[in-house]
Amino acid sequence: MKAVVFHQHGDERALQLTEFPEPSVGARDVLVRVKAVALNHLDLWVRQGWPGLKLELPHILGSDIAGIVARVGTEVTDLAPGTEVLVNPGLSCGACARCLSGEDNLCRSYRLIGEHVRGGYAEFISVPRQNILPKPSRLTFAEAACLPLTFLTAWTMLVHRAEVKPGETVLVHAAGSGVGSAAVQICKLLGAKVIATASTQEKLKQAQALGADHVINYSEKDFLDEVKRITERRLVDVVFEHVGASTFEKSVACLPYGGRLVTCGATAGHEVKLDLRVLFYKRISLLGSTMGSKGDLFRILQLVEEGRLKPVLDRTLPLADAPLAHELLKNRAHFGNLVLLPPSP
Ligand code: ZN
């Protein structure tokens, strides 16, 4: 099969389109013909590597996969070849207390397809049966591929961690990112008011189209000053963080007494300053979050099927253009998700 692999960590030039052996299919596995694979910022981190990351090289990136069942293992009896599916990217043991309590993302052996094991920048991928979800019928493969990681991450942050309530105000950073564009929609679904930030007028317009009530161009204006102005100094109940060092201190300053900050990422640096006096005196909650429970994706897909949440597809590129797609992602030249399309048979 054709696949985009990297033999060593590095910049986007490390990505190479090549012939690669088709994956083997275990008794309880499903071989999926990949029709679309969405990019995440995670792909850039994994490609660059970090101390302690041990991968079997060459590695194949790609966590968000939509495709067609090509073949099933001998013990898979409920899924026919030809079925259109979406792949749930979380792998866990399925037997521990966390897994059985619906907290599989807290399983000690939790891994992500495309991060710890080979992913979907390829014509085929083999995944366990329990990672297969039905593709929402109203979506194209490219649209469906935009859903799993971004929506599950944003859903878990807002619904389970920050527990956003109707009438609250949420500041969503970088609404043009995959996770940011999902967050705007989920906040609106929860009945919250959204203040969204982005770097260009065009992106702000798109954020408004997704439901943002107020927008801030952070490349032109100080977002803390703007939050104070928009809220008449009442500040925001929740800050949705995934930027990190360049925004964190001011994000904390956007919170009133009892405010919550929830974060899933640090694309702009992971070391931040925090005044503990502010934390305890203002009774602020700092909430970490990563991925989410496999079960929640069923709920998200139902809301997508009803048209209440929608994937945000920026553009599709051929699989061979993976290096270009990584460059676009790095330069934030997109709104929503970038998607790669493997060659059709
Ligand atoms: Zn487990």
Side-chain angles (χ1 to χ4, degrees):
M1 66 171 185
K2 291 261 189 300
V4 166
V5 308
F6 65 82
H7 291 270
Q8 74 256 322
H9 295 288
D11 63 20
E12 51 271 4
R13 288 169 299 181
L15 301 172
Q16 291 171 347
L17 181 70
T18 182
E19 282 295 326
F20 199 81
E22 208 177 284
S24 58
V25 183
R28 294 179 193 175
D29 293 343
V30 174
L31 185 72
V32 176
R33 172 175 278 284
V34 180
K35 298 290 285 179
V37 56
L39 270 69
N40 290 288
H41 217 95
L42 174 70
D43 301 17
L44 306 190
W45 293 121
V46 176
R47 193 203 68 221
Q48 286 157 9
W50 59 82
L53 176 67
K54 286 199 181 78
L55 298 176
E56 193 185 328
L57 295 171
H59 184 70
I60 301 176
L61 296 165
S63 306
D64 281 338
I65 298 153
I68 296 173
V69 174
R71 191 150 49 87
V72 297
T74 51
E75 288 178 31
V76 178
T77 54
D78 61 344
L79 207 57
T83 309
E84 298 189 348
V85 295
L86 192 57
V87 174
N88 205 329
L91 300 169
S92 63
C93 79
C96 71
R98 297 287 207 188
C99 281
L100 296 174
S101 307
E103 297 179 314
D104 45 275
N105 54 324
L106 302 180
C107 172
R108 285 187 61 127
S109 62
Y110 188 75
R111 291 163 304 152
L112 265 186
I113 290 170
E115 180 181 359
H116 310 92
V117 301
R118 288 182 184 134
Y121 286 21
E123 282 183 275
F124 293 98
I125 186 166
S126 176
V127 300
R129 167 65 187 92
Q130 67 261 33
N131 284 72
I132 296 288
L133 293 157
K135 177 178 93 51
S137 56
R138 61 193 286 150
L139 303 185
T140 64
F141 287 104
E143 289 168 336
C146 302
L147 293 170
L149 204 138
T150 46
F151 275 83
L152 191 53
T153 299
W155 181 272
T156 306
M157 290 168 76
L158 295 163
V159 174
H160 298 302
R161 301 294 283 146
E163 298 182 65
V164 172
K165 290 166 195 67
E168 289 193 318
T169 301
V170 183
L171 173 66
V172 176
H173 278 296
S177 65
V179 76
S181 58
V184 171
Q185 297 181 63
I186 294 166
C187 286
K188 294 312 294 177
L189 191 74
L190 296 171
K193 198 176 271 184
V194 174
I195 302 174
T197 78
S199 57
T200 67
Q201 287 311 115
E202 184 53 37
K203 287 185 186 186
L204 293 177
K205 251 189 250 163
Q206 287 171 291
Q208 277 171 316
L210 288 178
D213 300 274
H214 302 276
V215 290
I216 300 170
N217 186 333
Y218 67 76
S219 62
E220 287 175 0
K221 288 185 173 159
D222 181 275
F223 74 83
L224 175 56
D225 288 345
E226 283 297 288
V227 162
K228 286 178 182 167
R229 184 187 63 79
I230 291 164
T231 64
E232 294 170 343
R233 304 190 84 84
R234 283 193 299 272
L235 306 174
V236 297
D237 302 288
V238 174
V239 177
F240 183 91
E241 251 292 350
H242 53 114
V243 181
S246 65
T247 52
F248 185 80
E249 268 182 87
K250 282 185 178 171
S251 287
V252 172
C254 285
L255 296 172
Y257 287 79
R260 295 98 81 197
L261 180 150
V262 62
T263 179
C264 71
T267 49
H270 57 269
E271 283 185 14
V272 297
K273 250 170 59 186
L274 175 67
D275 185 337
L276 284 173
R277 296 167 300 182
V278 174
L279 183 77
F280 65 72
Y281 190 70
K282 287 178 80 177
R283 280 154 287 166
I284 282 168
S285 301
L286 297 180
L287 306 161
S289 194
T290 187
M291 284 301 290
S293 158
K294 281 204 264 298
D296 275 347
L297 260 176
F298 288 87
R299 182 82 189 284
I300 291 166
L301 293 189
Q302 183 200 333
L303 291 162
V304 170
E305 200 68 87
E306 291 169 7
R308 299 171 76 191
L309 293 175
K310 59 174 188 186
V312 183
L313 173 63
D314 178 90
R315 75 192 86 167
T316 62
L317 301 96
L319 180 63
D321 285 346
L324 170 65
H326 275 225
E327 225 180 310
L328 292 170
L329 187 59
K330 182 180 72 186
N331 298 330
R332 301 201 187 102
H334 63 293
F335 189 93
N337 292 90
L338 297 161
V339 172
L340 296 171
L341 306 178
S344 290

